[in-house]
Amino acid sequence: MRRILTFLKLFRYDLLVMLVALKHRDTPKNVKGLLIAAILYLVSPIDLIPDAIPLAGIIDDAVIVPAAVMGLTNLLPSHVRYQAEAQAGKMLRYMPAILFTATLFVICWLGLVIYGIYRLIF
């Protein structure tokens, strides 16, 4: 999880622009599909170079995913990219509150899962 958060800090603006563009109806379907594939590759335990190999596994994710996001950003139509950048700029102002809320949600969810497992066992 820490690895994913480190990568998100490095290229969060481009990723945020692409996530906003993902919802736009004028974004080409091939760009949407490739972005979803890049995100799945980041969170997937299956990689080209396994993460068990020190340094090489992390460099694999650190190179492929940001390159894919930056390349896909260039494939966006200009009006979609402009609108997505404007909306992403507004969203960055509220990012600390969004991250705090998401963290609270995950902690509550994990608490419920642990409580449920505890009730099943005992």
Side-chain angles (χ1 to χ4, degrees):
M1 185 68 173
R2 186 171 188 230
R3 173 186 67 153
I4 293 172
L5 291 176
T6 303
F7 292 140
L8 287 177
K9 286 180 184 177
L10 293 175
F11 67 103
R12 69 179 175 203
Y13 182 73
D14 286 335
L15 183 62
L16 190 58
V17 168
M18 286 305 298
L19 290 176
V20 170
L22 188 63
K23 296 187 309 184
H24 201 282
R25 64 185 178 117
D26 291 338
T27 303
K29 290 184 183 194
N30 60 348
V31 173
K32 288 181 180 182
L34 289 172
L35 176 65
I36 291 171
I39 292 170
L40 288 176
Y41 181 80
L42 179 65
V43 297
S44 172
I46 301 170
D47 290 336
L48 291 176
I49 301 173
D51 291 335
I53 300 172
L55 194 64
I58 295 172
I59 290 175
D60 172 34
D61 292 336
V63 171
I64 291 176
V65 176
V69 169
M70 291 177 78
L72 290 173
T73 303
N74 293 331
L75 292 177
L76 288 174
S78 61
H79 70 282
V80 173
R81 185 174 180 178
Y82 177 75
Q83 290 174 356
E85 286 177 351
Q87 192 172 357
K90 291 177 186 175
M91 290 175 72
L92 278 177
R93 289 187 291 163
Y94 301 108
M95 192 59 67
I98 292 170
L99 290 177
F100 177 75
T101 306
T103 303
L104 251 139
F105 177 76
V106 169
I107 289 171
C108 291
W109 183 80
L110 285 174
L112 286 173
V113 168
I114 291 170
Y115 176 74
I117 292 171
Y118 175 77
R119 294 293 290 173
L120 282 174
I121 293 175
F122 301 108

